[in-house]
Amino acid sequence: MTDVKELIQAKVKCIGAKREALMPILQAIVEEKNYLNEEDMIQVAEALDLSTADVYGTATFYTFLDTVPRGKYVIRVCKTISCHMAGKDEIVDTLKDLLKVDLGETTPDKNFTLMQANCMGWCHKGPVMLVNDDIYTELTKDKVIKIIHDYMGS
Amino acid sequence: MGKFEVNLKINNIPVTVEEGTTILDAAKKLNFRIPTLCHHSDLCVAGNCRVCVVEQKGAKALPAACATPVSEGMDISTNSAQVRTARRHVIELLLSEHRSECTSCYKNGKCELQDLANEYRVNETTFMKLVENKGYTIDDFSPSIIKDDSKCIRCQRCVRTCTEMQSVSALAVVNKGEHQKIATFMNKPMHSVVCTNCGQCVTHCPTGALIEKNYIDQVWDVINNPELHVVVQTAPAVRIGLGESLDLSPGNRVTGKMVSALRRLGFDSVLDTDFTADLTILEEGTELLTRLKKALVDKDTETALPMTTSCSPGWVKFIEHKYPELLPNVSTCKSPQQMFGALAKTFYAQKKGLKAEKVVSISIMPCTAKKYEANRPEMRDSGFQDVDYVLTTRELAMMIRQAGIEFASLPNEKYDSIMGDSSGAAVIFGATGGVMEAALRTAYEIVTGREVPFENLDILPVRGLEGVKEAKVLIENVKPEWGFLEGAELSCAIAHGLANAKILMDKVKSGEMSYHFIEIMACPGGCLGGGGQPIPVNNEIREARMKAIYEEDSSLKIRKSHENPEVIALYEQFLGEPLGHKSHELLHTHYTGRKKY
Ligand code: SF4
Ligand code: SF4
Ligand code: SF4
Ligand code: FES
Ligand code: FES
């Protein structure tokens, strides 16, 4: 476990303790440990002298800043209109079937979390999904099964 | 240095206004009202609700009047068919996510959204109703405030109030899109976060989403119970605000009518918080002088200066959270409400030959934080909860309506005795600077034997709506026992609204400024602008209420706390002397440091 306090201090040292530092710090924490918990957000508030509600508001605005624990692999299927029309529902159903979880849930082995997200800028190649930072485009049912099996194997 | 002038037409009428004026204000100048929801003159522009749209000739989109400054040659229409349709759709969209149950809503009849729905004759079926799918929550755990998300239109007035006016930021906008809502940190109940219970968000919320927790039924119950002796106390600022909730214009002094109304509601004794405001001055004034003596003469390094006031429970909770290290600086005096409560079940009960457990003490306050204060575990020094129920000015108005009392034609009646006497100094507790002025009127006289050197006792530098005020009073020709103060200059500061309090306290904390005595009121304007006062509120209304308070002060024969005859008698018959043993037991308290974030 990394020490979030140290991480925050290091960030503050290089970018300062102004409000602008909020996003980079939150991103750094999520990068490090996948999500932000209550204690993390309190520490960020303290470091930047912001209210905790303010930090929480910012964290919950961005889909990529999670405030609940997530699995090792976070799958985000694009739900915006192009991907929707290109058949994202089938992709979501396939994933639900495969992982035996609903949207927003994490598998019991804590390996996968299934979520939806807004447009990722790959509209011309929908439907698309992200697994952590990796993008998968022009998905089909078979492609999804293969991708997930690869992750399960790894 | 005149600003540039801009010429435009609104509804075909030419008008000239200063550059930078919004379309909204320009229209107001011509007596055209444009509806608003997210706009509030106390707050920065948000421009998020779009109900104020107008038509601008030549422009494609409809600009939001509250957020668009005028420009030369503009041709605006505030009431075209297109405008009306757009506004109606805005309201209908808001209502599609709104639990519109007006008949059982606390804000029924006093709701800006309801007014607009009525004005625009909205159609229930234009948009699909989404309320069922929203999973709205209601937070009614706080003793002061209820937050009901199903009534929220996300105008963010509360968020801006809590941040800009109060620098608390207990509320924020969380999530986005269809899930957006107003929440505390981690959606915790309001009573468990840094919220001060000041209620400014309540007085700025246009709907029923943020309301005071009301105790009207509980109060009717005790009134109707013949076994109980129910005493009621009324805070200074209620008498100059109450009329607004009963169809009178701001700035009406209704002290006498209020007393009659309370009697007609069935209270057994109608008494005055002003009595204990005067008492507070004696206790707090003596505390200040004692602290000065300890610090200046005894060179006691433990004695904390400046001393700050403690009568605003929103301020007390704020400092407990934000500056726990400065808690020794807060006067140990309980607020007038709590001094009253502690005496009601001891001194008053004894004098009247009543059993303390049969006395119920109710207070009428301009404040929601007072509800929290009355529930603090420290506030039980009489052996019972000292103040049983706290009603806001608004709740009292509601009871008066329920009782069918025609307020405007009531006779003026006088407070009961004992604990009903008031000085002008106590009345001005209701305005920012008032406690300072009252304290100076008394402390100066204790030390010098002469009246404060201000014409008519009016200490003008401490009055008014400026955010942070300062005053210096030179103390000369003192009585022998106060020799150590000879030639000293008492340095005072005053802040109202917690954002101003923060500015002031940061300077005190950093050592940039040093004072002897600081008055802080959590609400802008002081109690007259409190979170329990009639809605709406803005600076014009605050000014009107303030004027009424100072008129009330001038109209009274006794204008200094130490001359209140009932207070003098209280010391003779019961308390002994200020800061004496009994006072310590009943009238003083301690504070608790709380989490900062
Ligand atoms: S908030 Fe206003 S519109 Fe909504 S139910 Fe209450 S009174 Fe009606
Ligand atoms: S709680 Fe009231 S003030 Fe706050 S966003 Fe909702 S409707 Fe607006
Ligand atoms: S009561 Fe005061 S401190 Fe609490 S949320 Fe409302 S404005 Fe903020
Ligand atoms: S719509 Fe899916 S990536 Fe843009
Ligand atoms: S009042 Fe103008 S956008 Fe809300």
Side-chain angles (χ1 to χ4, degrees), chain A residues 78-84 117-124 126-128:
Chain A
C78 169
K79 65 169 182 189
T80 307
I81 188 137
S82 301
C83 291
H84 187 91
N118 291 317
C119 178
M120 301 161 189
W122 288 89
C123 322
H124 56 299
V128 306

Side-chain angles (χ1 to χ4, degrees), chain B residues 37-65:
Chain B
L37 279 171
C38 67
H39 178 267
H40 195 292
S41 63
D42 282 343
L43 306 171
C44 77
V45 172
N48 62 30
C49 78
R50 315 293 303 172
V51 83
C52 66
V53 287
V54 293
E55 201 175 324
Q56 180 185 353
K57 205 171 187 180
K60 269 207 211 100
L62 302 179

Side-chain angles (χ1 to χ4, degrees), chain B residues 205-277:
Chain B
C205 176
T207 71
L210 283 164
I211 56 173
E212 69 266 22
K213 185 177 256 183
N214 85 81
Y215 297 87
I216 294 175
D217 288 340
Q218 288 88 330
V219 172
W220 280 128
D221 281 350
V222 292
I223 287 180
N224 291 332
N225 184 339
E227 303 276 296
L228 301 173
H229 181 91
V230 188
V231 300
V232 62
Q233 54 166 318
T234 60
V238 178
R239 67 204 69 195
I240 52 89
L242 179 65
E244 287 168 46
S245 288
L246 294 162
D247 305 326
L248 299 175
S249 56
N252 263 293
R253 294 192 273 140
V254 296
T255 318
K257 291 189 194 308
M258 175 181 71
V259 172
S260 325
L262 287 165
R263 218 163 259 143
R264 282 161 176 72
L265 291 179
F267 288 102
D268 294 302
S269 196
V270 182
L271 304 173
D272 204 349
T273 314
D274 282 14
F275 166 74
T276 36

